Amino acid sequence: PLNGKYYTYRDWNTLSKLDVENWGSCYQWSKAESEKKAWEMIQSCNNRWKKEQQQSNINAETMLEMVALCPSFVFGPPPPLPSSLKNDKIRIRENNSSSYSLTLVNQWLRGNSQVQSRLCADVRDVALAHVAAGTMDLTTVATTDDGDFDPMERRYILSTEKRLSSELVSDALKRAVTRVQGQIGIEGRVLGDASIDMGKITCDTKFDGGAIKIGEREVEATERLEQDLGVVCRSVEETFQDMAEALLMGESF
């Protein structure tokens, strides 16, 4: 981090690179490079239009504007299946890819991999932030001394600020299992997935967070998200419990 403590909206990913042996690094590199190219395009177009405006009196409203949302790992409950498709889940699953976060949490629930500590954002908060960013009054965002907008002031880290330990994430998953397995239908059957054995849910207790330890502030996000976008990120416990409940109830593609 530039401040030596935690990441802010003025930090950029300078470590990830293209690596055929590491798809995660490629993915992270592509996100950072795509945002940089988008800002460059905005600046280039607006500089050109500013010259044309001076020459032809073009309305300033034609200038391009942009807000960048930079989420951490996105988790959260998937959207429910439309009622018209609930009887055709198998075909839907065969023809639609599942998100990595859904696959990961399913593995944790079934004991196929250890529960991990992740810095994360809830997909519902991500959605709210996109709506807010698309409708916000950009004239309230800080500009440079010459009146141009400062791209850095229109970047938002979209995330909770601290990692939750794998043990606490595991507790949230187990609460979801308990809640779902306690829901009995009219025929006396558990309404959700009754096959989950909570004893198989284990935690990765070796990972300590790396450069910024689990439980310490990893990013600065809360104040700006609430002040500028009106978005308050829900707790990590709520995110994982709601996500697990939705998966166990079969409420996903």
Side-chain angles (χ1 to χ4, degrees):
L2 292 175
N3 62 20
K5 299 177 181 179
Y6 48 78
Y7 295 100
T8 75
Y9 64 98
R10 293 191 175 277
D11 284 293
W12 285 87
N13 178 358
T14 59
L15 297 178
S16 297
K17 59 184 179 180
L18 291 176
D19 182 353
V20 295
E21 301 297 329
N22 188 337
W23 71 265
S25 177
C26 294
Y27 173 71
Q28 293 164 348
W29 177 88
S30 69
K31 288 174 70 70
E33 288 301 306
S34 295
E35 186 192 347
K36 289 178 182 178
K37 291 297 181 182
W39 284 121
E40 290 173 6
M41 181 191 73
I42 294 289
Q43 193 65 51
S44 175
C45 289
N46 286 345
N47 287 341
R48 186 180 73 244
W49 286 347
K50 183 176 282 188
K51 292 180 181 179
E52 294 178 356
Q53 181 185 14
Q54 295 171 348
Q55 297 172 356
S56 308
N57 195 30
I58 296 177
N59 193 313
E61 291 182 359
T62 58
M63 302 287 279
L64 293 178
E65 295 177 330
M66 174 175 155
V67 175
L69 300 177
C70 305
S72 53
F73 203 129
V74 180
F75 288 92
L81 278 170
S83 57
S84 60
L85 298 178
K86 286 189 175 181
N87 293 326
D88 206 4
K89 287 185 181 180
I90 295 178
R91 181 183 61 82
I92 292 170
R93 289 197 179 102
E94 288 176 346
N95 291 281
N96 287 272
S97 62
S98 177
S99 77
Y100 181 59
S101 64
L102 294 178
T103 299
L104 194 60
V105 173
N106 262 315
Q107 291 176 347
W108 295 349
L109 285 167
R110 287 163 174 74
N112 295 327
S113 64
Q114 291 186 318
V115 178
Q116 302 167 345
S117 173
R118 296 275 184 166
L119 185 69
C120 68
D122 190 292
V123 66
R124 295 165 291 187
D125 297 327
V126 173
L128 289 172
H130 276 79
V131 174
T135 56
M136 71 186 297
D137 180 3
L138 293 178
T139 61
T140 63
V141 181
T143 59
T144 61
D145 293 337
D146 60 5
D148 291 331
F149 71 81
D150 179 0
M152 293 297 97
E153 293 295 334
R154 295 186 178 182
R155 300 183 76 226
Y156 295 89
I157 294 177
L158 184 48
S159 178
T160 52
E161 294 192 333
K162 301 176 182 178
R163 289 176 182 263
L164 197 66
S165 70
S166 61
E167 292 95 334
L168 291 177
V169 173
S170 173
D171 288 344
L173 300 182
K174 290 177 180 178
R175 286 195 297 272
V177 174
T178 299
R179 179 177 170 82
V180 168
Q181 293 185 348
Q183 297 185 42
I184 307 299
I186 57 176
E187 297 180 355
R189 297 178 181 176
V190 175
L191 294 177
D193 189 337
S195 66
I196 300 299
D197 178 359
M198 287 192 287
K200 294 183 178 180
I201 299 177
T202 60
C203 306
D204 174 7
T205 57
K206 294 182 179 180
F207 177 66
D208 64 0
I212 301 177
K213 303 307 178 186
I214 294 172
E216 296 181 2
R217 190 184 199 183
E218 190 164 344
V219 297
E220 178 188 64
T222 301
E223 183 176 350
R224 295 185 74 241
L225 285 175
E226 183 173 4
Q227 178 179 307
D228 293 0
L229 300 178
V231 173
V232 178
C233 290
R234 64 201 74 206
S235 71
V236 179
E237 292 97 329
E238 180 181 349
T239 294
F240 280 107
Q241 182 170 340
D242 289 354
M243 184 177 187
E245 286 186 23
L247 291 173
L248 293 173
M249 292 298 292
E251 297 177 355
S252 66
F253 288 93

